[in-house]
Amino acid sequence: MKAADGITPPGHDMALSELLDRVLNRGVIIVGDLTISIADTDLIYVGLKVLLSSVETAERLRPVPARTATVAGDAGDALSLRDH
Amino acid sequence: MLYLYAITDARSPTDALSPGVNDVRPELLSIGGLSVVVAQMSAAPPRKLSAVRQHMDVLAALMPYGTVLPARFGTVFDTRDELDAAIDDMRGGAIADLERLRGYVELGLTVTDLAPAPVAPSEPIPLAKHAGPGALYMAAKRAEAAGRLARERANEALAARICDADSPLAGIAAETVWRTVDRPESAGEASAHAISIAFLIRGERVEAFRAALSSFRSDNPQLDFLCTGPWPPFSFVSVGSSLSSTSSDHDKPSCSPHC
């Protein structure tokens, strides 16, 4: 079973955002037991906003050159897109 | 630590599962009569897209074996006792969700209005002849708020067209929920007119939904559609979730925003 089998050939960013929106923000949510405890809903949405823009835009918005969408305030708390 | 993937009614699916997050093969525990899919890990999952995909791959592999209540990525417990306590707390709700969602999958549909009706300018506020910067600022904020409200109303109308019980798409679904897509301002004005709808559909009706969508798209060329899935019913799980907008009445499709 494929997670993002679009009828319309999916825009890559949109299909990815659909995946992240579900896997990071929905389902059985047990408050207080999250490894990514700093990535609560608001912060995840910050990450999605970056993900939804183009890579070029994301790079322009970033203060450092690595291709990383920051979910939190410092590099150690980032959701890395290097394997994207 | 124990990494939680899902609560399921599948009894012995883990033989078919490949290693997931951190390359650890998931296992099935029986807790309070519920089947819980977990993985023993020595370290927390990395905050990488590849780990998110591995999490989703495990959930997708579970789907053919039974109903899956997916856990949010990154849910871990330090000890088995903590996991047992958490599952015990949600046991009643989980059993109800497994019953309610049995045989159903979720399809996602992002709909963008490519030709939205122009927003009528709001009534200008009469300003004094020499209005200061504060008054001008507040007038601009008012106009901005009016535009936002108009877009929200347009999105509600768009959602109503698709989610109303007599719509060909909602007619196939047991439940629907929708929300406005949160887009960056850099994506442009047109992208503000986009909504994301989740449809709860019986597994055997997925193809019927796709056929109905194909027809609906032909009838609505001004709308752009992106359909994803089938997913586990992420948007319809009520246990442990702060979302409470879904209806449990399968005979009467509902349509309500997430937030």
Side-chain angles (χ1 to χ4, degrees):
Chain A
M1 185 142 329
K2 204 172 174 185
D5 184 15
I7 293 173
T8 303
H12 186 71
D13 284 348
M14 284 305 298
L16 178 61
S17 74
E18 288 279 298
L19 169 69
L20 293 176
D21 182 44
R22 284 174 170 79
V23 176
L24 300 182
N25 200 34
R26 305 196 193 289
V28 176
I29 296 170
I30 303 171
V31 178
D33 288 318
L34 294 175
T35 301
I36 45 173
S37 57
I38 45 90
D40 61 17
T41 302
D42 291 343
L43 291 173
I44 287 170
Y45 275 126
V46 170
L48 284 178
K49 282 184 177 179
V50 176
L51 287 167
L52 281 170
S53 62
S54 68
V55 171
E56 289 74 18
T57 305
E59 297 250 344
R60 271 206 311 277
L61 293 172
R62 294 198 68 256
V64 289
R67 188 184 296 179
T68 300
T70 302
V71 184
D74 61 72
D77 291 326
L79 176 65
S80 171
L81 290 183
R82 289 194 184 98
D83 53 354
H84 173 45
Chain B
M1 65 179 66
L2 286 160
Y3 182 88
L4 177 64
Y5 281 102
I7 301 170
T8 177
D9 58 7
R11 286 298 163 193
S12 56
T14 51
D15 290 349
L17 296 180
S18 300
V21 178
N22 280 356
D23 293 323
V24 178
R25 189 180 293 275
E27 59 184 294
L28 195 68
L29 301 178
S30 180
I31 302 175
L34 292 169
S35 296
V36 182
V37 182
V38 299
Q40 297 269 2
M41 290 185 188
S42 55
R47 294 160 198 154
K48 289 187 173 181
L49 189 59
S50 59
V52 174
R53 290 189 189 281
Q54 286 172 321
H55 178 94
M56 185 60 223
D57 287 346
V58 169
L59 299 179
L62 285 166
M63 286 176 68
Y65 294 93
T67 310
V68 176
L69 307 182
R72 182 160 66 171
F73 173 82
T75 304
V76 296
F77 299 87
D78 286 336
T79 66
R80 172 66 191 264
D81 286 346
E82 287 181 12
L83 172 64
D84 287 356
I87 298 298
D88 190 53
D89 283 347
M90 63 177 66
R91 184 173 177 278
I95 291 171
D97 271 1
L98 287 170
E99 183 65 30
R100 181 173 63 90
L101 299 172
R102 183 163 293 126
Y104 287 88
V105 296
E106 175 178 329
L107 292 180
L109 189 65
T110 301
V111 185
T112 304
D113 191 345
L114 301 175
V119 176
S122 58
E123 284 263 325
I125 303 174
L127 293 172
K129 191 175 180 184
H130 300 292
L136 293 172
Y137 173 79
M138 293 307 294
K141 294 299 283 182
R142 182 180 183 270
E144 184 184 312
R148 193 165 52 241
L149 183 63
R151 284 196 296 274
E152 286 171 4
R153 286 182 177 154
N155 286 341
E156 285 171 7
L158 178 58
R161 279 173 61 192
I162 299 170
C163 298
D164 274 355
D166 56 354
S167 139
L169 300 178
I172 296 172
E175 299 177 28
T176 60
V177 289
W178 72 274
R179 65 181 176 82
T180 295
V181 173
D182 195 11
R183 300 278 184 89
E185 288 180 10
S186 59
E189 171 67 18
S191 74
H193 298 272
I195 59 173
S196 176
I197 310 170
F199 294 85
L200 184 67
I201 289 177
R202 289 207 65 83
E204 65 270 20
R205 303 220 60 194
V206 168
E207 288 310 316
F209 180 88
R210 289 180 166 166
L213 175 58
S214 183
S215 172
F216 191 79
R217 183 167 55 179
S218 300
D219 295 341
N220 295 275
Q222 81 284 7
L223 300 179
D224 181 58
F225 298 94
L226 169 67
C227 185
T228 60
W231 306 87
F234 278 101
S235 303
F236 300 95
V237 170
S238 60
V239 59
S241 169
S242 59
L243 305 175
S244 57
S245 60
T246 58
S247 163
S248 59
D249 184 355
H250 284 195
D251 296 321
K252 189 178 180 183
S254 65
C255 181
S256 51
H258 275 149
C259 317

